[in-house]
Amino acid sequence: MSNQPYEGYGEGYDPYAQQQQPQQAQQQQAQAWPGQQQAYDDPQAAQQYTQQWQGQTWDTQVQQSRPSASDLAYFPPQNYQAPTPSYDSHPPVTAPPAPPAADEAVGYGPPSLAGNARITDAQRARLEGRSPIIEPGMQPAGLTALLALLLSVTAQIGSYALVVPLVVLQAVTAAGWFRLNGMWPARQGIALAFAGALVADVALLAAGRDNGPAAILGTLGVWVLLSLVMQLRSHADPDTRITSLMATVASAALAIVATGHLAADPDAVTVGAAAVAVAILARALPLPTVASVVVSLLAAAGAGIAVGGMTGLGAKGALLGAVAAGCALIGHRVASYDYPSRFVHFTAGVALPLAAAAPAVYVLGRALA
């Protein structure tokens, strides 16, 4: 009998104690399963069973010893360097990986200048050093001046003659506003806004100029309600419906408010439209913004004095022309915002100055007449 520990086990292994365990287990098995007593009569079979039983109950966590070379032979070779064996019964706890950076967490980097679907044309223009405000230019200004002169001349002829250029103005206003807001095609919204303008024109012609505010405000209230009902029946998502509702209401309001040219005094329409034509042409000149605005207002005041002397308003036409030109410049600025397209310039850029000047023409015309 050798004093060396049993091969394959730790130094704390006792072979004498292990030989007594099979005999006790055999007695327990004989008491538990009497029908299997014959299976353990053979000592070799019992010894073989004992070796299997001993191998299955050996626990590495209890022994807390280094594995021998024969134990490591059962593991396949690894390409990495084996870590230092730990004698702790609990496995080592590794720190969790660091969270990704902010840019890596969202999955995309900063916006590029070449093209990015997440930014608008106005934002891209700012990143590239360009202004998001692009004015319509001389050609749309010429069309605005032509339409304004038609309003100025037909106002002296009569209400039914004034309706013809007014309907054109209202149609272009309805179409241009939707395109300015990035909604195209929007046939239902354009048709609804234009229909409201036509109803306002008919109501005003039927009620007369004295009842103009009631006809305009009444039509506007009904059309806001119709726009709300139309959007409630839509199957689009809530954000899209809210955006469409606001665009439809604003387009209908601008087209209906343009009816104020029909409700205003004819002399006021003549002076105001002429002042708008001169102001928009002066605004299209290649001048700095501040200088261009000042020149436009002064030119409009001069045109108001000139045309007012021909109609009977006299020097009062300077105030009317300047105020109408100021409203027209606001509409011109709105049509230039957010990097618009060429189609916007030839619709909203043409119509918004005249549509925005309609309330001033009506109010000042009634006050100065």
Side-chain angles (χ1 to χ4, degrees):
M1 183 68 68
S2 174
N3 293 328
Q4 300 294 331
Y6 190 80
E7 183 179 1
Y9 295 91
E11 295 180 359
Y13 174 76
D14 188 2
Y16 297 99
Q18 295 294 338
Q19 289 180 359
Q20 296 177 1
Q21 293 179 2
Q23 297 177 0
Q24 296 176 0
Q26 185 176 1
Q27 295 176 1
Q28 294 176 0
Q29 292 291 339
Q31 295 177 1
W33 299 290
Q36 297 184 359
Q37 180 66 27
Q38 298 178 359
Y40 305 103
D41 292 340
D42 189 0
Q44 297 180 358
Q47 182 68 20
Q48 182 179 3
Y49 175 80
T50 302
Q51 293 294 333
Q52 295 176 357
W53 178 75
Q54 290 177 1
Q56 293 177 355
T57 58
W58 182 66
D59 190 359
T60 57
Q61 295 183 357
V62 176
Q63 295 295 331
Q64 298 182 358
S65 61
R66 292 176 179 268
S68 63
S70 60
D71 295 332
L72 296 176
Y74 289 97
F75 295 93
Q78 304 292 334
N79 294 327
Y80 58 87
Q81 184 178 2
T84 304
S86 176
Y87 298 95
D88 191 1
S89 60
H90 299 284
V93 178
T94 59
D103 293 338
E104 297 177 359
V106 296
Y108 50 79
S112 61
L113 301 180
N116 197 323
R118 296 184 293 106
I119 62 176
T120 63
D121 291 338
Q123 293 172 341
R124 185 178 295 111
R126 292 189 182 97
L127 291 175
E128 295 177 356
R130 296 180 288 110
S131 175
I133 306 297
I134 295 182
E135 298 175 359
M138 186 58 70
Q139 291 182 352
L143 294 176
T144 302
L146 177 61
L147 188 58
L149 291 177
L150 290 176
L151 290 172
S152 180
V153 172
T154 55
Q156 296 297 321
I157 299 175
S159 298
Y160 291 98
L162 180 60
V163 168
V164 176
L166 179 61
V167 169
V168 176
L169 171 63
Q170 292 167 335
V172 178
T173 301
W177 184 260
F178 277 94
R179 189 64 185 89
L180 181 63
N181 287 268
M183 294 180 167
W184 190 264
R187 299 181 182 89
Q188 293 182 354
I190 294 173
L192 183 63
F194 182 59
L198 293 180
V199 170
D201 295 341
V202 172
L204 195 145
L205 289 175
R209 283 193 173 95
D210 294 337
N211 298 320
I216 294 174
L217 295 178
T219 305
L220 182 59
V222 172
W223 247 249
V224 169
L225 181 60
L226 289 178
S227 301
L228 181 61
V229 172
M230 185 182 73
Q231 295 304 322
L232 289 177
R233 294 175 57 87
S234 176
H235 298 286
D237 56 279
D239 294 337
T240 302
R241 282 188 291 179
I242 291 297
T243 304
S244 180
L245 175 63
M246 299 304 296
T248 304
V249 170
S251 179
L254 289 171
I256 294 173
V257 165
T259 310
H261 289 292
L262 188 62
D265 184 77
D267 292 340
V269 175
T270 300
V271 173
V276 169
V278 174
I280 294 301
L281 289 175
R283 185 67 179 85
L285 295 177
L287 297 174
T289 303
V290 177
S292 178
V293 171
V294 172
V295 170
S296 299
L297 293 177
L298 292 177
I305 293 175
V307 178
M310 296 184 294
T311 58
L313 287 177
K316 298 178 182 179
L319 178 61
L320 177 60
V323 175
C327 296
L329 292 179
I330 295 175
H332 182 271
R333 180 71 173 183
V334 172
S336 307
Y337 183 69
D338 201 10
Y339 206 76
S341 64
R342 188 174 179 83
F343 184 84
V344 173
H345 287 163
F346 281 94
T347 52
V350 172
L352 285 183
L354 287 169
V361 171
Y362 174 81
V363 173
L364 289 179
R366 302 275 298 187
L368 298 176

